[in-house]
């Protein structure tokens, strides 16, 4: 499932290439025809991510809310601005090109090599495209979302209010952190579940959850009310750091032990990015004990039973 850093990058992509433009909005597969008609012909005035949800505001105040869920992704075509310095995520840098193709979902993939430079623009929709948003030179195709709906301004405000703090959107990180600390440390639910609860803290998914808990050397099964306040505060601060890095690079790189050369390798080699996630049965990078994978609330939880001790 795409985690918070990906949705923030999608929001920034739409901000760079679509905000300020009058949109042509369609639903090629037909499942969003009424919503598309409601948005068609209006200018996009704001692109915002909160946690794993995207909110696109058009003139007049209506908001397109999108939650990608497990399988959703956005495909961008045409004049698409690069987001990542050094080309880690998308390839070449420089000014926006008129022939570019990028998929942004659970991972990011440069599809430019598959796009014929002589191909008619915009390219025809491929597969089950729920929504197509287009300007004269850029196209964004949404496929496979869990949620896709048009909200009026008050309903959009309610949807945002249901979400916990997101470090990338909070003007006061310390104040927002105290909200998260209170929500984490006053409940009997295991902290590993609370970190995935989007009403507690927004944007954390399975990978960031496992890695945050390992970096804190915290047992995921620890009841929230048994997590020391200082440790809960440190989790929030670490989440802010990891999220900021993920937004900048497009990569969930969670190992802080890497030097410059090691980090460069990890940016392109998924196997070098994490402490415990995806490493079931393999030796812990710190103590050598086998990494354990077990279910928690129907999701796979990775942890080191030696390093992650209950406080």
């Amino acid at each position: 499932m795409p985690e918070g850093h990906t949705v923030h990058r999608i929001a920034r992509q739409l901000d760079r290439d679509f905000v300020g433009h009058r949109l042509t909005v369609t639903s090629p597969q037909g499942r969003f025809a009424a919503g598309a008609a409601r948005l068609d012909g209006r200018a996009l005035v704001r692109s915002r991510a909160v946690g794993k949800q995207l909110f696109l505001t058009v003139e007049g105040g209506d908001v397109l809310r999108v939650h990608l869920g497990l399988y959703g992704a956005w495909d961008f075509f045409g004049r698409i601005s690069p987001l990542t310095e050094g080309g880690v995520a998308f390839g070449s840098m420089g000014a926006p090109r008129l022939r570019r193709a990028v998929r942004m979902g659970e991972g990011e993939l440069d599809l430019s090599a598959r796009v014929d430079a002589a191909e008619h623009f915009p390219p025809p929709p491929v597969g089950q495209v729920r929504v197509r948003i287009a300007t004269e030179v850029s196209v964004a195709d949404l496929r496979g979302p869990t949620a896709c709906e048009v909200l009026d301004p008050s309903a959009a405000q309610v949807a945002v209010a249901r979400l916990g703090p997101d470090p990338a959107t909070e003007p006061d990180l310390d104040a927002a952190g105290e909200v998260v600390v209170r929500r984490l440390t006053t409940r009997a639910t295991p902290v590993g579940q609370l970190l995935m609860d989007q009403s507690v803290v927004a944007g954390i998914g399975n990978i960031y959850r496992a890695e945050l808990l390992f970096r804190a050397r915290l047992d995921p099964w620890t009841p929230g009310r048994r997590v020391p306040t200082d440790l809960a505060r440190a989790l929030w601060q670490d989440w802010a750091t990891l999220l900021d890095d993920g937004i900048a690079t497009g990569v969930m790189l969670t190992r802080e032990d890497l030097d410059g050369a090691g980090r460069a390798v990890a940016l392109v080699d998924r196997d070098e990015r994490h402490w415990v996630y995806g490493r079931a049965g393999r030796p812990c990078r710190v103590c050598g004990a086998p990494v354990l994978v077990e279910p928690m609330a129907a999701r796979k939880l990775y942890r080191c039973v030696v390093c992650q001790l209950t406080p």
Side-chain angles (χ1 to χ4, degrees):
M1 178 182 291
E3 302 196 29
H5 74 298
T6 292
V7 183
H8 278 286
R9 287 175 64 84
I10 291 167
R12 293 185 182 192
Q13 193 73 71
L14 288 160
D15 180 73
R16 291 191 181 188
D17 297 315
F18 292 80
V19 166
H21 295 270
R22 195 162 300 281
L23 305 177
T24 299
V25 185
T26 58
S27 179
Q29 75 171 180
R31 291 181 57 187
F32 192 66
R38 185 169 162 181
L39 301 172
D40 186 45
R42 301 203 218 176
L44 184 62
V45 299
R46 187 183 187 190
S47 174
R48 177 190 186 195
V50 181
K52 300 178 185 180
Q53 299 194 38
L54 177 70
F55 299 87
L56 302 179
T57 305
V58 299
E59 59 183 350
D62 279 345
V63 178
L64 174 62
R65 182 183 78 90
V66 175
H67 190 319
L68 292 178
L70 285 172
Y71 306 110
W74 286 89
D75 290 349
F76 293 91
F77 303 96
R79 188 177 178 83
I80 304 301
S81 303
L83 292 179
T84 304
E85 293 296 330
V88 171
F90 291 166
S92 62
M93 290 295 297
R97 303 201 306 268
L98 287 179
R99 283 294 179 267
R100 211 150 176 258
V102 175
R103 172 162 293 175
M104 301 177 74
E106 183 176 6
E108 297 185 16
L109 182 63
D110 189 340
L111 303 176
S112 299
R114 305 183 192 178
V115 178
D116 185 345
E119 182 181 0
H120 175 72
F121 186 85
V126 176
Q128 297 297 305
V129 176
R130 184 77 55 87
V131 183
R132 166 166 283 198
I133 298 173
T135 72
E136 291 184 354
V137 294
S138 306
V139 167
D141 285 348
L142 171 65
R143 59 183 72 246
T146 292
C148 177
E149 61 179 345
V150 180
L151 304 175
D152 62 34
S154 60
Q157 188 174 6
V158 169
V160 171
R162 292 194 185 105
L163 300 171
D166 177 339
T169 64
E170 296 293 343
D172 188 334
L173 275 178
D174 290 338
E178 292 310 304
V179 173
V180 173
V181 168
R182 183 170 63 254
R183 293 177 181 178
L184 279 176
T185 60
T186 57
R187 305 186 189 184
T189 305
V191 64
Q193 284 182 238
L194 290 172
L195 288 178
M196 295 274 280
D197 183 339
Q198 299 302 297
S199 69
V200 173
V201 55
I204 297 174
N206 211 24
I207 297 177
Y208 278 129
R209 182 262 300 271
E211 296 297 295
L212 283 164
L213 290 168
F214 181 84
R215 286 161 64 102
R217 302 300 192 265
L218 181 59
D219 183 345
W221 295 97
T222 305
R225 64 189 179 193
R226 290 185 54 195
V227 176
T229 298
D230 288 348
L231 185 52
R233 190 173 293 117
L235 282 169
W236 165 257
Q237 292 167 348
D238 199 29
W239 169 226
T241 298
L242 290 179
L243 178 60
D244 186 62
D245 187 65
I247 293 172
T249 64
V251 173
M252 287 183 278
L253 202 171
T254 54
R255 290 177 60 192
E256 70 273 34
D257 64 324
L258 300 173
D259 59 15
R263 180 176 169 85
V265 170
L267 284 170
V268 296
D269 184 351
R270 189 183 301 271
D271 192 53
E272 296 299 320
R273 294 175 186 172
H274 308 311
W275 287 108
V276 292
Y277 181 82
R279 292 177 52 79
R282 300 172 67 182
C284 171
R285 297 185 191 274
V286 174
C287 74
V291 172
L292 177 68
V293 60
E294 58 190 340
M296 175 181 276
R299 299 296 301 276
K300 289 183 178 180
L301 170 69
Y302 296 86
R303 66 184 174 109
C304 174
V305 295
V306 175
C307 292
Q308 293 173 261
L309 299 176
T310 303

